[in-house]
Amino acid sequence: MDLKIGIIFLVQILIGILGNFSLLCHYISLFNAGRSRSIGLIFRHLTVANSLVILSRGIPDTMAAFGLKHFLSDFGCKVVFYVHRVARGVSIGTTCLLSVFQAITISPRNSRLAELKVKALKYIGPSSILCWILNMLVNIQVPMHVTEKWSNKNITTIDFKYCSATLHDKSKHLLNAVFISTPDVFCLGLMTWASFSMVFLLCRHKQRIQHIHGNNISPRFSPETRATQTILVLVSTFVSFYTLSSIFYIYFSLSGQSSRWLVNISAFINSCFPTTSSYILLSCNPCASGHFCACAGRNTPLPHLIRKI
């Protein structure tokens, strides 16, 4: 069974790294061609964060599943969990930034968000860097609660097979978990609002230009329909996996128990969104304007039409 679990983790790592590397290369090529400069910057930060999430926990979990022991020191455990938490937070924050930027980009000219279109381009770089800095500061306490599994300390611990998380005081640990999770919850809410705003705009746009498509394009496969589906899939995947991940994190904090199956399931779920998000984004063909979801059709001037909403 351990061998099967190790193979599953290994396959997840390979699929996730391949998808994120493909997404990164795609947007680097667009950037070199003078296209999608702003959106490409967001994607570079997103792919780096996703790759760190996959590797920081995926590799140790795979090694532990294959039966390796004592391969991480106390310092190594602290670094692995700190990098994982920071990268996870950056992945959430960058995905939120991407959704908000897209909502601003396709907003109608008469909306309040339209005034932010020019300013948004200037703040993408600083916002991405600020996201890294904030997550480094918020998760600064994570290394204090993580130690090597084989440390002989008479305290409650959560066993992660190769490392352990110490619970000196469950109430304080729960408060710390809430503090760490607050930015994630805020980003989840903001991203959900931005994404459904885009879906509303695209649906309204589809109704207004339906006479342009006529009978040549099936409504089921129109660019607006595919764009809406992509946004909904991305948001649903994001919310589902990170909600499950947070539930496991809170459960471990409250109970102090860590069964073998729960640890493996939690580790697998933690890497699910970073693994699948790159393929969801690649499935929606980007175009020169950089609207990754508003450009579902290659030959349809959707961005130009959206600006007329």
Side-chain angles (χ1 to χ4, degrees), residues 99 103 190-200 231 235:
S99 299
L190 188 59
M191 190 190 76
T192 303
W193 166 81
S195 299
F196 281 101
S197 297
M198 287 188 285
V199 170
F200 173 76
I231 295 172
V235 173

Side-chain angles (χ1 to χ4, degrees), residues 277-296:
S277 61
S278 56
Y279 293 98
I280 296 174
L281 295 173
L282 283 171
S283 67
C284 191
N285 187 29
C287 63
S289 65
H291 300 192
F292 82 97
C293 274
C295 300

Side-chain angles (χ1 to χ4, degrees), residues 45 93-94 97 120 122-134:
H45 284 277
T94 308
L97 179 63
K122 299 179 181 179
Y123 292 115
I124 286 178
S127 298
S128 300
I129 296 175
L130 181 62
C131 185
W132 284 96
I133 295 175
L134 287 178

Side-chain angles (χ1 to χ4, degrees), residues 40-94:
L41 182 61
I42 298 178
F43 276 100
R44 285 197 293 275
H45 284 277
L46 180 61
T47 53
V48 171
N50 284 346
S51 298
L52 287 176
V53 172
I54 295 170
L55 294 175
S56 59
R57 287 288 301 275
I59 292 178
D61 283 320
T62 303
M63 295 173 67
F66 283 137
L68 297 177
K69 299 179 180 180
H70 306 281
F71 58 88
L72 278 180
S73 63
D74 184 68
F75 177 76
C77 286
K78 296 180 185 299
V79 170
V80 164
F81 276 79
Y82 180 68
V83 170
H84 176 77
R85 289 298 305 182
V86 171
R88 182 181 181 273
V90 173
S91 176
I92 296 174
T94 308

Side-chain angles (χ1 to χ4, degrees), residues 5 23 84 100 107 117 141 144 206-207 235 248 273:
I5 293 173
L23 184 65
H84 176 77
V100 173
S107 60
K117 287 186 179 182
Q141 295 185 4
M144 302 177 186
K206 178 183 175 182
Q207 294 176 352
V235 173
F248 277 105
F273 180 77

